[in-house]
Amino acid sequence: MGFGPIPDIELSDGVRIPRLGLGVLRIDNDATADVVSDALAVGYRHIDTAAGYGNEQGVGDALVRNGFAHGQARKQVFITTKLRDSEQGYDSALQAFDRQLGYLQTDYVDMYMIHWPTPFDWRSTQTWKAFVQLRDAGKVRTLGVCNFLPEHLERLHDETGDWPTVNQIELHPTWQQREVVEFCRAHDIAVEAYSPMARGADLQAGGGLLEEIAQAHQVSVAQVILRWHIEHGIIIIPKSTHQSRQIENGSIFDFALSADEIAAIDALDGPTRAGHDPMTFSYS
C-alpha cells in the first residue's frame, strides 16, 4: 500500500524539498495526528501546517507516534509551518516560533514562512530579520513566504537584501497567477501551490477536457491536475483526510502529460480565485 519515493527539488540555498506534500488546512487538531500518520504510512515525507491552522500539536503528535520527531529519522521528513500574521514583527516572531516548535515536538523546522504579506500593516522586514536569526541558529533550514505578489517580494528584497526560497500561493488550472510565477522563476524562488485543485472546484473545469485526458492515461481527473502542476515545476501540497485519496494524490510520478495536454489545461486559466486577496487579507 502506498507509492514510490517522491522526487524532490533543490531550492536556491541548497535545501531539498519534496515536490509533493500533505496540506492540513481545516483539519481539526484532534484529527490531525491520525491524518498525518496515514500519510506518513503511505509514503509522504513533506507536511505543511501553520500556526493559523491550529493543528501544529496534531502534526507533532504524529511525528512522535511514528518515530520522526528526532534523530536520523527526523531528517527524512520535511516540515513546514507558518507564522501567525498577528505575530509578525521581530520579538513576536521569535516568541511565536518557540511556542510552535514546542507544539511540533521536534528540534527544528525545515521551512518557516510568513503567511500573508499584509501590505496594509507591513511588518515583513522585521519579521524576516527574526527568521534569519532562527535559520542561523539552526532552528529553521530554509525561509519562505506565502501569498506574496511581485511588489511584496521586491519590497522584502529592497529592505533585507534577501529573496525567499519559496513562495506558496493559490494556484490551479483556473487561477494560474502567471505573472507571479514568472517573477518567482526570474529570481530563483520556487513556487508552491496550495488549493492545487481549487478546493475541488477545478475537478469540473474544462467541460469534459480533463475527463478525456484522465481516460487517456487511465488515471483520475485529480491526478491529471496534480500532474499538470508537476509538469510546470510546481511544488504541491494537496489536502486529503482519507488515506485512499492520499495514495491517489501521491501516485502521479509514473505518467506524464503530452505538450498538447498541458497546453489545453493551460488554456483553462481564468479571472477568479478560490481564496483570499493578498492585498487585503490577514489570516489569524
Side-chain angles (χ1 to χ4, degrees), residues 100-205:
Q100 293 176 259
L101 195 64
Y103 288 148
L104 291 166
Q105 304 166 66
T106 188
D107 304 313
Y108 65 92
V109 167
D110 294 276
M111 182 159 62
Y112 200 33
M113 311 186 90
I114 299 175
H115 208 154
W116 291 84
T118 61
F120 45 84
D121 185 17
W122 179 262
R123 289 159 292 159
S124 292
T125 301
Q126 293 303 314
T127 302
W128 194 259
K129 291 177 181 178
F131 277 28
V132 170
Q133 181 172 321
L134 291 167
R135 183 191 62 197
D136 291 349
K139 294 181 178 181
V140 177
R141 295 179 64 220
T142 195
L143 305 176
V145 298
C146 306
N147 303 294
F148 272 48
L149 301 177
E151 64 193 84
H152 306 135
L153 293 166
E154 286 185 319
R155 181 173 180 180
L156 182 67
H157 181 260
D158 288 345
E159 296 178 2
T160 68
D162 291 342
W163 300 107
T165 61
V166 175
N167 187 17
Q168 184 184 121
I169 59 174
E170 178 188 343
L171 196 156
H172 43 84
T174 60
W175 181 255
Q176 295 179 29
Q177 300 215 65
R178 293 179 186 178
E179 291 183 5
V180 179
V181 172
E182 289 170 7
F183 184 93
C184 288
R185 288 187 172 146
H187 295 90
D188 204 11
I189 302 167
V191 176
E192 185 174 37
Y194 70 83
S195 298
M197 294 179 276
R199 301 175 185 171
D202 276 9
L203 296 172
Q204 312 303 321

Side-chain angles (χ1 to χ4, degrees), residues 252-266:
I252 56 171
F253 297 103
D254 56 358
F255 74 99
L257 302 177
S258 70
D260 286 346
E261 290 168 337
I262 294 168
I265 299 172
D266 289 349

Side-chain angles (χ1 to χ4, degrees), residues 203-250:
L203 296 172
Q204 312 303 321
L209 167 71
L210 296 174
E211 289 85 350
E212 183 178 328
I213 296 173
Q215 289 173 7
H217 293 277
Q218 295 186 315
V219 297
S220 69
V221 170
Q223 287 172 311
V224 167
I225 294 174
L226 295 177
R227 183 66 207 184
W228 170 82
H229 285 280
I230 295 297
E231 301 281 5
H232 279 298
I234 306 297
I235 303 160
I236 47 176
I237 47 169
K239 168 198 169 183
S240 180
T241 58
H242 302 288
Q243 194 175 55
S244 61
R245 188 61 56 81
Q246 292 172 356
I247 294 170
E248 178 184 332
N249 290 346

Side-chain angles (χ1 to χ4, degrees), residues 267-281:
L268 300 179
D269 196 13
T272 306
R273 68 173 85 243
H276 301 285
D277 184 348
M279 296 302 294
T280 60
F281 187 69

